[in-house]
Amino acid sequence: MNQEQTTCTTCELRVRFAANLKACRAILGISVYKMAKDTDLQSSYLYRLENPKYNITPSFEIIEKIADYFHVSPSVLFE
């Protein structure tokens, strides 16, 4: 896999993660502010995670924290 393919794959994963994070919140009717308070993450950080244009790559610990919050496997956030 070359650099361009790796970058494209990373972008696709960010877009999926962003969409799934936003969808999970919407389905449960949870605001960014409530989720921030419940997870001890900043609302501005969560907002940037939900918007792939910001090019934010969360650590595995953050991905686990978010998955635990929604009671799903981390892999679900990338489907």
mmCIF file of all heavy atoms in Angstrom, residues 3-54:
data_model
loop_
_atom_site.group_PDB
_atom_site.id
_atom_site.type_symbol
_atom_site.label_atom_id
_atom_site.label_comp_id
_atom_site.label_asym_id
_atom_site.label_seq_id
_atom_site.Cartn_x
_atom_site.Cartn_y
_atom_site.Cartn_z
ATOM 1 N N GLN A 3 1.626 5.547 0.021
ATOM 2 C CA GLN A 3 1.260 6.657 0.914
ATOM 3 C C GLN A 3 -0.125 7.212 0.587
ATOM 4 O O GLN A 3 -0.916 7.487 1.476
ATOM 5 C CB GLN A 3 2.318 7.773 0.819
ATOM 6 C CG GLN A 3 2.025 8.979 1.682
ATOM 7 C CD GLN A 3 2.174 8.695 3.160
ATOM 8 O OE1 GLN A 3 2.883 7.791 3.557
ATOM 9 N NE2 GLN A 3 1.483 9.463 3.967
ATOM 10 N N GLU A 4 -0.420 7.366 -0.702
ATOM 11 C CA GLU A 4 -1.710 7.921 -1.114
ATOM 12 C C GLU A 4 -2.856 7.002 -0.699
ATOM 13 O O GLU A 4 -3.884 7.462 -0.207
ATOM 14 C CB GLU A 4 -1.723 8.135 -2.627
ATOM 15 C CG GLU A 4 -2.979 8.838 -3.115
ATOM 16 C CD GLU A 4 -2.914 9.142 -4.593
ATOM 17 O OE1 GLU A 4 -1.854 9.565 -5.076
ATOM 18 O OE2 GLU A 4 -3.938 8.938 -5.247
ATOM 19 N N GLN A 5 -2.696 5.692 -0.874
ATOM 20 C CA GLN A 5 -3.726 4.735 -0.479
ATOM 21 C C GLN A 5 -3.917 4.749 1.031
ATOM 22 O O GLN A 5 -5.035 4.678 1.514
ATOM 23 C CB GLN A 5 -3.359 3.328 -0.947
ATOM 24 C CG GLN A 5 -3.467 3.148 -2.434
ATOM 25 C CD GLN A 5 -2.903 1.803 -2.875
ATOM 26 O OE1 GLN A 5 -1.884 1.346 -2.360
ATOM 27 N NE2 GLN A 5 -3.578 1.185 -3.824
ATOM 28 N N THR A 6 -2.832 4.819 1.790
ATOM 29 C CA THR A 6 -2.914 4.863 3.246
ATOM 30 C C THR A 6 -3.657 6.104 3.701
ATOM 31 O O THR A 6 -4.537 6.047 4.551
ATOM 32 C CB THR A 6 -1.507 4.829 3.873
ATOM 33 O OG1 THR A 6 -0.851 3.638 3.452
ATOM 34 C CG2 THR A 6 -1.581 4.876 5.375
ATOM 35 N N THR A 7 -3.338 7.244 3.102
ATOM 36 C CA THR A 7 -3.991 8.493 3.456
ATOM 37 C C THR A 7 -5.469 8.431 3.138
ATOM 38 O O THR A 7 -6.306 8.858 3.932
ATOM 39 C CB THR A 7 -3.319 9.670 2.716
ATOM 40 O OG1 THR A 7 -1.942 9.686 3.070
ATOM 41 C CG2 THR A 7 -3.961 10.987 3.089
ATOM 42 N N CYS A 8 -5.818 7.879 1.997
ATOM 43 C CA CYS A 8 -7.217 7.756 1.602
ATOM 44 C C CYS A 8 -7.972 6.855 2.578
ATOM 45 O O CYS A 8 -9.074 7.180 3.001
ATOM 46 C CB CYS A 8 -7.311 7.211 0.182
ATOM 47 S SG CYS A 8 -8.996 7.159 -0.439
ATOM 48 N N THR A 9 -7.381 5.734 2.943
ATOM 49 C CA THR A 9 -8.007 4.814 3.896
ATOM 50 C C THR A 9 -8.208 5.493 5.241
ATOM 51 O O THR A 9 -9.262 5.364 5.858
ATOM 52 C CB THR A 9 -7.157 3.538 4.058
ATOM 53 O OG1 THR A 9 -7.012 2.923 2.777
ATOM 54 C CG2 THR A 9 -7.799 2.579 5.011
ATOM 55 N N THR A 10 -7.232 6.240 5.693
ATOM 56 C CA THR A 10 -7.340 6.963 6.955
ATOM 57 C C THR A 10 -8.475 7.974 6.882
ATOM 58 O O THR A 10 -9.265 8.104 7.815
ATOM 59 C CB THR A 10 -6.011 7.665 7.298
ATOM 60 O OG1 THR A 10 -4.985 6.678 7.367
ATOM 61 C CG2 THR A 10 -6.088 8.405 8.612
ATOM 62 N N CYS A 11 -8.585 8.672 5.764
ATOM 63 C CA CYS A 11 -9.671 9.648 5.584
ATOM 64 C C CYS A 11 -11.024 8.962 5.629
ATOM 65 O O CYS A 11 -11.970 9.465 6.252
ATOM 66 C CB CYS A 11 -9.520 10.379 4.253
ATOM 67 S SG CYS A 11 -8.136 11.517 4.205
ATOM 68 N N GLU A 12 -11.136 7.818 4.978
ATOM 69 C CA GLU A 12 -12.395 7.069 4.978
ATOM 70 C C GLU A 12 -12.771 6.649 6.393
ATOM 71 O O GLU A 12 -13.941 6.731 6.784
ATOM 72 C CB GLU A 12 -12.283 5.843 4.077
ATOM 73 C CG GLU A 12 -12.210 6.177 2.606
ATOM 74 C CD GLU A 12 -11.864 4.979 1.732
ATOM 75 O OE1 GLU A 12 -11.833 3.840 2.247
ATOM 76 O OE2 GLU A 12 -11.616 5.194 0.542
ATOM 77 N N LEU A 13 -11.796 6.202 7.160
ATOM 78 C CA LEU A 13 -12.067 5.795 8.534
ATOM 79 C C LEU A 13 -12.505 6.981 9.390
ATOM 80 O O LEU A 13 -13.403 6.859 10.213
ATOM 81 C CB LEU A 13 -10.840 5.119 9.148
ATOM 82 C CG LEU A 13 -10.520 3.729 8.612
ATOM 83 C CD1 LEU A 13 -9.203 3.231 9.192
ATOM 84 C CD2 LEU A 13 -11.644 2.753 8.918
ATOM 85 N N ARG A 14 -11.883 8.128 9.190
ATOM 86 C CA ARG A 14 -12.287 9.334 9.921
ATOM 87 C C ARG A 14 -13.722 9.716 9.596
ATOM 88 O O ARG A 14 -14.487 10.087 10.480
ATOM 89 C CB ARG A 14 -11.369 10.507 9.578
ATOM 90 C CG ARG A 14 -10.097 10.517 10.338
ATOM 91 C CD ARG A 14 -9.389 11.860 10.168
ATOM 92 N NE ARG A 14 -8.007 11.697 10.553
ATOM 93 C CZ ARG A 14 -6.982 11.751 9.725
ATOM 94 N NH1 ARG A 14 -7.158 12.008 8.466
ATOM 95 N NH2 ARG A 14 -5.766 11.572 10.172
ATOM 96 N N VAL A 15 -14.080 9.633 8.324
ATOM 97 C CA VAL A 15 -15.442 9.979 7.898
ATOM 98 C C VAL A 15 -16.442 9.004 8.518
ATOM 99 O O VAL A 15 -17.490 9.419 9.031
ATOM 100 C CB VAL A 15 -15.554 9.999 6.360
ATOM 101 C CG1 VAL A 15 -17.000 10.102 5.907
ATOM 102 C CG2 VAL A 15 -14.728 11.147 5.788
ATOM 103 N N ARG A 16 -16.131 7.730 8.498
ATOM 104 C CA ARG A 16 -17.027 6.728 9.113
ATOM 105 C C ARG A 16 -17.171 6.968 10.610
ATOM 106 O O ARG A 16 -18.269 6.928 11.158
ATOM 107 C CB ARG A 16 -16.484 5.316 8.879
ATOM 108 C CG ARG A 16 -16.648 4.819 7.497
ATOM 109 C CD ARG A 16 -16.138 3.405 7.413
ATOM 110 N NE ARG A 16 -15.943 3.027 6.022
ATOM 111 C CZ ARG A 16 -15.286 1.953 5.650
ATOM 112 N NH1 ARG A 16 -14.743 1.158 6.549
ATOM 113 N NH2 ARG A 16 -15.145 1.674 4.378
ATOM 114 N N PHE A 17 -16.032 7.166 11.278
ATOM 115 C CA PHE A 17 -16.057 7.389 12.722
ATOM 116 C C PHE A 17 -16.894 8.623 13.047
ATOM 117 O O PHE A 17 -17.747 8.590 13.939
ATOM 118 C CB PHE A 17 -14.625 7.555 13.251
ATOM 119 C CG PHE A 17 -14.552 7.797 14.723
ATOM 120 C CD1 PHE A 17 -14.632 6.741 15.615
ATOM 121 C CD2 PHE A 17 -14.421 9.075 15.228
ATOM 122 C CE1 PHE A 17 -14.579 6.956 16.988
ATOM 123 C CE2 PHE A 17 -14.362 9.308 16.590
ATOM 124 C CZ PHE A 17 -14.444 8.239 17.468
ATOM 125 N N ALA A 18 -16.670 9.707 12.319
ATOM 126 C CA ALA A 18 -17.399 10.953 12.550
ATOM 127 C C ALA A 18 -18.903 10.740 12.374
ATOM 128 O O ALA A 18 -19.709 11.157 13.216
ATOM 129 C CB ALA A 18 -16.907 12.040 11.603
ATOM 130 N N ALA A 19 -19.279 10.084 11.293
ATOM 131 C CA ALA A 19 -20.698 9.852 11.014
ATOM 132 C C ALA A 19 -21.332 8.950 12.069
ATOM 133 O O ALA A 19 -22.452 9.207 12.528
ATOM 134 C CB ALA A 19 -20.865 9.239 9.624
ATOM 135 N N ASN A 20 -20.625 7.915 12.478
ATOM 136 C CA ASN A 20 -21.173 6.986 13.469
ATOM 137 C C ASN A 20 -21.260 7.616 14.852
ATOM 138 O O ASN A 20 -22.223 7.365 15.586
ATOM 139 C CB ASN A 20 -20.362 5.691 13.506
ATOM 140 C CG ASN A 20 -20.586 4.858 12.273
ATOM 141 O OD1 ASN A 20 -21.652 4.898 11.670
ATOM 142 N ND2 ASN A 20 -19.590 4.106 11.877
ATOM 143 N N LEU A 21 -20.280 8.415 15.208
ATOM 144 C CA LEU A 21 -20.331 9.123 16.489
ATOM 145 C C LEU A 21 -21.549 10.039 16.530
ATOM 146 O O LEU A 21 -22.334 10.019 17.482
ATOM 147 C CB LEU A 21 -19.043 9.922 16.697
ATOM 148 C CG LEU A 21 -18.981 10.862 17.894
ATOM 149 C CD1 LEU A 21 -19.282 10.146 19.201
ATOM 150 C CD2 LEU A 21 -17.615 11.540 17.943
ATOM 151 N N LYS A 22 -21.725 10.801 15.482
ATOM 152 C CA LYS A 22 -22.852 11.727 15.408
ATOM 153 C C LYS A 22 -24.183 10.967 15.395
ATOM 154 O O LYS A 22 -25.147 11.367 16.059
ATOM 155 C CB LYS A 22 -22.721 12.596 14.151
ATOM 156 C CG LYS A 22 -23.555 13.824 14.147
ATOM 157 C CD LYS A 22 -23.146 14.708 12.974
ATOM 158 C CE LYS A 22 -23.594 16.121 13.207
ATOM 159 N NZ LYS A 22 -23.090 17.026 12.176
ATOM 160 N N ALA A 23 -24.235 9.863 14.657
ATOM 161 C CA ALA A 23 -25.460 9.059 14.577
ATOM 162 C C ALA A 23 -25.810 8.442 15.934
ATOM 163 O O ALA A 23 -26.983 8.448 16.330
ATOM 164 C CB ALA A 23 -25.302 7.961 13.522
ATOM 165 N N CYS A 24 -24.825 7.932 16.640
ATOM 166 C CA CYS A 24 -25.074 7.348 17.973
ATOM 167 C C CYS A 24 -25.660 8.391 18.914
ATOM 168 O O CYS A 24 -26.624 8.122 19.633
ATOM 169 C CB CYS A 24 -23.787 6.772 18.557
ATOM 170 S SG CYS A 24 -23.247 5.220 17.840
ATOM 171 N N ARG A 25 -25.083 9.568 18.882
ATOM 172 C CA ARG A 25 -25.611 10.641 19.732
ATOM 173 C C ARG A 25 -27.039 10.996 19.348
ATOM 174 O O ARG A 25 -27.897 11.142 20.205
ATOM 175 C CB ARG A 25 -24.744 11.895 19.614
ATOM 176 C CG ARG A 25 -23.585 11.960 20.518
ATOM 177 C CD ARG A 25 -22.999 13.347 20.644
ATOM 178 N NE ARG A 25 -23.015 14.197 19.463
ATOM 179 C CZ ARG A 25 -23.986 15.085 19.167
ATOM 180 N NH1 ARG A 25 -25.005 15.250 19.971
ATOM 181 N NH2 ARG A 25 -23.911 15.819 18.062
ATOM 182 N N ALA A 26 -27.288 11.108 18.050
ATOM 183 C CA ALA A 26 -28.616 11.498 17.568
ATOM 184 C C ALA A 26 -29.663 10.444 17.913
ATOM 185 O O ALA A 26 -30.769 10.784 18.372
ATOM 186 C CB ALA A 26 -28.579 11.726 16.056
ATOM 187 N N ILE A 27 -29.333 9.191 17.729
ATOM 188 C CA ILE A 27 -30.270 8.100 18.030
ATOM 189 C C ILE A 27 -30.669 8.117 19.496
ATOM 190 O O ILE A 27 -31.827 7.906 19.841
ATOM 191 C CB ILE A 27 -29.663 6.730 17.644
ATOM 192 C CG1 ILE A 27 -29.607 6.596 16.115
ATOM 193 C CG2 ILE A 27 -30.445 5.582 18.258
ATOM 194 C CD1 ILE A 27 -28.763 5.440 15.620
ATOM 195 N N LEU A 28 -29.705 8.399 20.358
ATOM 196 C CA LEU A 28 -29.973 8.415 21.800
ATOM 197 C C LEU A 28 -30.444 9.783 22.298
ATOM 198 O O LEU A 28 -30.777 9.927 23.471
ATOM 199 C CB LEU A 28 -28.726 7.977 22.569
ATOM 200 C CG LEU A 28 -28.270 6.540 22.295
ATOM 201 C CD1 LEU A 28 -26.962 6.255 22.996
ATOM 202 C CD2 LEU A 28 -29.338 5.548 22.720
ATOM 203 N N GLY A 29 -30.435 10.770 21.415
ATOM 204 C CA GLY A 29 -30.879 12.107 21.797
ATOM 205 C C GLY A 29 -29.944 12.791 22.783
ATOM 206 O O GLY A 29 -30.381 13.548 23.644
ATOM 207 N N ILE A 30 -28.658 12.530 22.639
ATOM 208 C CA ILE A 30 -27.655 13.075 23.560
ATOM 209 C C ILE A 30 -26.947 14.255 22.896
ATOM 210 O O ILE A 30 -26.455 14.143 21.772
ATOM 211 C CB ILE A 30 -26.624 11.990 23.942
ATOM 212 C CG1 ILE A 30 -27.321 10.840 24.663
ATOM 213 C CG2 ILE A 30 -25.503 12.564 24.785
ATOM 214 C CD1 ILE A 30 -26.459 9.620 24.835
ATOM 215 N N SER A 31 -26.872 15.363 23.580
ATOM 216 C CA SER A 31 -26.168 16.531 23.047
ATOM 217 C C SER A 31 -24.660 16.348 23.207
ATOM 218 O O SER A 31 -24.194 15.535 24.016
ATOM 219 C CB SER A 31 -26.597 17.800 23.781
ATOM 220 O OG SER A 31 -26.076 17.801 25.101
ATOM 221 N N VAL A 32 -23.919 17.116 22.426
ATOM 222 C CA VAL A 32 -22.463 17.111 22.558
ATOM 223 C C VAL A 32 -22.075 17.506 23.985
ATOM 224 O O VAL A 32 -21.156 16.936 24.573
ATOM 225 C CB VAL A 32 -21.819 18.078 21.539
ATOM 226 C CG1 VAL A 32 -20.348 18.273 21.833
ATOM 227 C CG2 VAL A 32 -21.993 17.569 20.129
ATOM 228 N N TYR A 33 -22.813 18.455 24.550
ATOM 229 C CA TYR A 33 -22.485 18.953 25.893
ATOM 230 C C TYR A 33 -22.714 17.885 26.962
ATOM 231 O O TYR A 33 -21.904 17.731 27.872
ATOM 232 C CB TYR A 33 -23.298 20.213 26.197
ATOM 233 C CG TYR A 33 -23.030 21.284 25.179
ATOM 234 C CD1 TYR A 33 -23.967 21.595 24.200
ATOM 235 C CD2 TYR A 33 -21.804 21.951 25.150
ATOM 236 C CE1 TYR A 33 -23.696 22.560 23.229
ATOM 237 C CE2 TYR A 33 -21.524 22.910 24.184
ATOM 238 C CZ TYR A 33 -22.480 23.202 23.229
ATOM 239 O OH TYR A 33 -22.197 24.143 22.276
ATOM 240 N N LYS A 34 -23.805 17.125 26.833
ATOM 241 C CA LYS A 34 -24.060 16.056 27.801
ATOM 242 C C LYS A 34 -23.001 14.956 27.672
ATOM 243 O O LYS A 34 -22.475 14.476 28.672
ATOM 244 C CB LYS A 34 -25.452 15.451 27.620
ATOM 245 C CG LYS A 34 -25.688 14.275 28.570
ATOM 246 C CD LYS A 34 -27.111 13.856 28.630
ATOM 247 C CE LYS A 34 -27.373 12.649 29.502
ATOM 248 N NZ LYS A 34 -26.449 12.305 30.543
ATOM 249 N N MET A 35 -22.702 14.589 26.436
ATOM 250 C CA MET A 35 -21.691 13.554 26.234
ATOM 251 C C MET A 35 -20.341 14.005 26.771
ATOM 252 O O MET A 35 -19.619 13.228 27.382
ATOM 253 C CB MET A 35 -21.586 13.198 24.755
ATOM 254 C CG MET A 35 -20.629 12.065 24.500
ATOM 255 S SD MET A 35 -20.600 11.595 22.777
ATOM 256 C CE MET A 35 -19.249 10.425 22.826
ATOM 257 N N ALA A 36 -20.008 15.270 26.561
ATOM 258 C CA ALA A 36 -18.745 15.802 27.070
ATOM 259 C C ALA A 36 -18.688 15.685 28.588
ATOM 260 O O ALA A 36 -17.683 15.248 29.155
ATOM 261 C CB ALA A 36 -18.577 17.255 26.631
ATOM 262 N N LYS A 37 -19.768 16.065 29.221
ATOM 263 C CA LYS A 37 -19.817 15.992 30.687
ATOM 264 C C LYS A 37 -19.715 14.546 31.168
ATOM 265 O O LYS A 37 -18.973 14.243 32.106
ATOM 266 C CB LYS A 37 -21.129 16.614 31.182
ATOM 267 C CG LYS A 37 -21.254 16.639 32.675
ATOM 268 C CD LYS A 37 -22.551 17.292 33.098
ATOM 269 C CE LYS A 37 -22.687 17.224 34.616
ATOM 270 N NZ LYS A 37 -23.972 17.734 35.067
ATOM 271 N N ASP A 38 -20.439 13.646 30.501
ATOM 272 C CA ASP A 38 -20.454 12.234 30.907
ATOM 273 C C ASP A 38 -19.126 11.522 30.674
ATOM 274 O O ASP A 38 -18.806 10.560 31.367
ATOM 275 C CB ASP A 38 -21.563 11.482 30.156
ATOM 276 C CG ASP A 38 -22.955 11.919 30.547
ATOM 277 O OD1 ASP A 38 -23.121 12.616 31.579
ATOM 278 O OD2 ASP A 38 -23.904 11.569 29.804
ATOM 279 N N THR A 39 -18.375 11.959 29.669
ATOM 280 C CA THR A 39 -17.131 11.269 29.308
ATOM 281 C C THR A 39 -15.863 12.007 29.740
ATOM 282 O O THR A 39 -14.758 11.502 29.514
ATOM 283 C CB THR A 39 -17.055 11.057 27.781
ATOM 284 O OG1 THR A 39 -17.097 12.335 27.132
ATOM 285 C CG2 THR A 39 -18.175 10.155 27.284
ATOM 286 N N ASP A 40 -16.027 13.183 30.324
ATOM 287 C CA ASP A 40 -14.874 14.016 30.693
ATOM 288 C C ASP A 40 -14.025 14.402 29.481
ATOM 289 O O ASP A 40 -12.798 14.543 29.589
ATOM 290 C CB ASP A 40 -13.997 13.332 31.749
ATOM 291 C CG ASP A 40 -14.688 13.240 33.091
ATOM 292 O OD1 ASP A 40 -15.447 14.166 33.432
ATOM 293 O OD2 ASP A 40 -14.472 12.235 33.788
ATOM 294 N N LEU A 41 -14.685 14.561 28.339
ATOM 295 C CA LEU A 41 -14.024 15.069 27.139
ATOM 296 C C LEU A 41 -14.591 16.460 26.874
ATOM 297 O O LEU A 41 -15.727 16.748 27.227
ATOM 298 C CB LEU A 41 -14.292 14.161 25.937
ATOM 299 C CG LEU A 41 -13.757 12.731 26.034
ATOM 300 C CD1 LEU A 41 -14.286 11.887 24.883
ATOM 301 C CD2 LEU A 41 -12.239 12.732 26.042
ATOM 302 N N GLN A 42 -13.815 17.301 26.248
ATOM 303 C CA GLN A 42 -14.311 18.644 25.955
ATOM 304 C C GLN A 42 -15.306 18.598 24.801
ATOM 305 O O GLN A 42 -15.115 17.862 23.828
ATOM 306 C CB GLN A 42 -13.149 19.567 25.604
ATOM 307 C CG GLN A 42 -12.238 19.828 26.768
ATOM 308 C CD GLN A 42 -11.153 20.836 26.421
ATOM 309 O OE1 GLN A 42 -11.101 21.371 25.323
ATOM 310 N NE2 GLN A 42 -10.292 21.082 27.382
ATOM 311 N N SER A 43 -16.353 19.403 24.906
ATOM 312 C CA SER A 43 -17.373 19.430 23.852
ATOM 313 C C SER A 43 -16.761 19.875 22.517
ATOM 314 O O SER A 43 -17.140 19.361 21.461
ATOM 315 C CB SER A 43 -18.543 20.328 24.241
ATOM 316 O OG SER A 43 -18.107 21.648 24.490
ATOM 317 N N SER A 44 -15.814 20.793 22.568
ATOM 318 C CA SER A 44 -15.181 21.247 21.322
ATOM 319 C C SER A 44 -14.399 20.107 20.656
ATOM 320 O O SER A 44 -14.366 19.992 19.429
ATOM 321 C CB SER A 44 -14.266 22.440 21.574
ATOM 322 O OG SER A 44 -13.246 22.096 22.492
ATOM 323 N N TYR A 45 -13.805 19.240 21.465
ATOM 324 C CA TYR A 45 -13.082 18.086 20.926
ATOM 325 C C TYR A 45 -14.057 17.112 20.275
ATOM 326 O O TYR A 45 -13.826 16.628 19.162
ATOM 327 C CB TYR A 45 -12.283 17.398 22.042
ATOM 328 C CG TYR A 45 -11.523 16.182 21.589
ATOM 329 C CD1 TYR A 45 -10.416 16.304 20.750
ATOM 330 C CD2 TYR A 45 -11.887 14.909 22.004
ATOM 331 C CE1 TYR A 45 -9.706 15.194 20.329
ATOM 332 C CE2 TYR A 45 -11.178 13.788 21.587
ATOM 333 C CZ TYR A 45 -10.096 13.935 20.753
ATOM 334 O OH TYR A 45 -9.398 12.833 20.334
ATOM 335 N N LEU A 46 -15.173 16.844 20.957
ATOM 336 C CA LEU A 46 -16.182 15.949 20.388
ATOM 337 C C LEU A 46 -16.736 16.525 19.087
ATOM 338 O O LEU A 46 -16.936 15.796 18.110
ATOM 339 C CB LEU A 46 -17.314 15.708 21.382
ATOM 340 C CG LEU A 46 -16.940 14.868 22.604
ATOM 341 C CD1 LEU A 46 -18.076 14.868 23.613
ATOM 342 C CD2 LEU A 46 -16.590 13.450 22.195
ATOM 343 N N TYR A 47 -16.969 17.820 19.070
ATOM 344 C CA TYR A 47 -17.457 18.471 17.859
ATOM 345 C C TYR A 47 -16.472 18.264 16.710
ATOM 346 O O TYR A 47 -16.866 17.927 15.585
ATOM 347 C CB TYR A 47 -17.680 19.967 18.101
ATOM 348 C CG TYR A 47 -18.062 20.716 16.849
ATOM 349 C CD1 TYR A 47 -19.366 20.671 16.358
ATOM 350 C CD2 TYR A 47 -17.118 21.441 16.135
ATOM 351 C CE1 TYR A 47 -19.711 21.332 15.187
ATOM 352 C CE2 TYR A 47 -17.450 22.106 14.969
ATOM 353 C CZ TYR A 47 -18.748 22.047 14.505
ATOM 354 O OH TYR A 47 -19.095 22.688 13.344
ATOM 355 N N ARG A 48 -15.187 18.438 16.982
ATOM 356 C CA ARG A 48 -14.174 18.249 15.938
ATOM 357 C C ARG A 48 -14.095 16.792 15.493
ATOM 358 O O ARG A 48 -13.870 16.516 14.312
ATOM 359 C CB ARG A 48 -12.814 18.763 16.406
ATOM 360 C CG ARG A 48 -12.757 20.280 16.492
ATOM 361 C CD ARG A 48 -11.344 20.785 16.756
ATOM 362 N NE ARG A 48 -10.730 20.162 17.897
ATOM 363 C CZ ARG A 48 -10.595 20.713 19.097
ATOM 364 N NH1 ARG A 48 -11.003 21.951 19.291
ATOM 365 N NH2 ARG A 48 -10.024 20.071 20.079
ATOM 366 N N LEU A 49 -14.286 15.860 16.422
ATOM 367 C CA LEU A 49 -14.298 14.444 16.037
ATOM 368 C C LEU A 49 -15.459 14.136 15.099
ATOM 369 O O LEU A 49 -15.343 13.279 14.225
ATOM 370 C CB LEU A 49 -14.403 13.539 17.273
ATOM 371 C CG LEU A 49 -13.166 13.387 18.135
ATOM 372 C CD1 LEU A 49 -13.490 12.523 19.350
ATOM 373 C CD2 LEU A 49 -12.016 12.784 17.350
ATOM 374 N N GLU A 50 -16.568 14.817 15.285
ATOM 375 C CA GLU A 50 -17.753 14.581 14.453
ATOM 376 C C GLU A 50 -17.658 15.272 13.098
ATOM 377 O O GLU A 50 -18.522 15.080 12.255
ATOM 378 C CB GLU A 50 -19.014 15.068 15.168
ATOM 379 C CG GLU A 50 -19.426 14.202 16.316
ATOM 380 C CD GLU A 50 -20.737 14.628 16.938
ATOM 381 O OE1 GLU A 50 -21.308 15.663 16.527
ATOM 382 O OE2 GLU A 50 -21.201 13.912 17.830
ATOM 383 N N ASN A 51 -16.664 16.069 12.904
ATOM 384 C CA ASN A 51 -16.489 16.799 11.655
ATOM 385 C C ASN A 51 -15.130 16.446 11.054
ATOM 386 O O ASN A 51 -14.116 17.030 11.434
ATOM 387 C CB ASN A 51 -16.605 18.302 11.906
ATOM 388 C CG ASN A 51 -18.007 18.670 12.305
ATOM 389 O OD1 ASN A 51 -18.865 18.799 11.452
ATOM 390 N ND2 ASN A 51 -18.249 18.808 13.601
ATOM 391 N N PRO A 52 -15.109 15.484 10.116
ATOM 392 C CA PRO A 52 -13.836 14.991 9.590
ATOM 393 C C PRO A 52 -12.976 16.055 8.919
ATOM 394 O O PRO A 52 -11.772 15.855 8.750
ATOM 395 C CB PRO A 52 -14.242 13.901 8.602
ATOM 396 C CG PRO A 52 -15.687 14.086 8.343
ATOM 397 C CD PRO A 52 -16.261 14.829 9.507
ATOM 398 N N LYS A 53 -13.554 17.197 8.597
ATOM 399 C CA LYS A 53 -12.744 18.264 7.981
ATOM 400 C C LYS A 53 -11.638 18.741 8.919
ATOM 401 O O LYS A 53 -10.656 19.321 8.474
ATOM 402 C CB LYS A 53 -13.618 19.435 7.561
ATOM 403 C CG LYS A 53 -14.182 20.236 8.706
ATOM 404 C CD LYS A 53 -15.016 21.392 8.212
ATOM 405 C CE LYS A 53 -15.531 22.203 9.398
ATOM 406 N NZ LYS A 53 -16.332 23.326 8.955
ATOM 407 N N TYR A 54 -11.783 18.493 10.229
ATOM 408 C CA TYR A 54 -10.768 18.916 11.192
ATOM 409 C C TYR A 54 -9.571 17.983 11.255
ATOM 410 O O TYR A 54 -8.587 18.278 11.907
ATOM 411 C CB TYR A 54 -11.377 19.084 12.585
ATOM 412 C CG TYR A 54 -12.260 20.289 12.674
ATOM 413 C CD1 TYR A 54 -13.644 20.148 12.679
ATOM 414 C CD2 TYR A 54 -11.727 21.565 12.722
ATOM 415 C CE1 TYR A 54 -14.472 21.259 12.735
ATOM 416 C CE2 TYR A 54 -12.553 22.679 12.779
ATOM 417 C CZ TYR A 54 -13.913 22.514 12.787
ATOM 418 O OH TYR A 54 -14.721 23.607 12.830
#
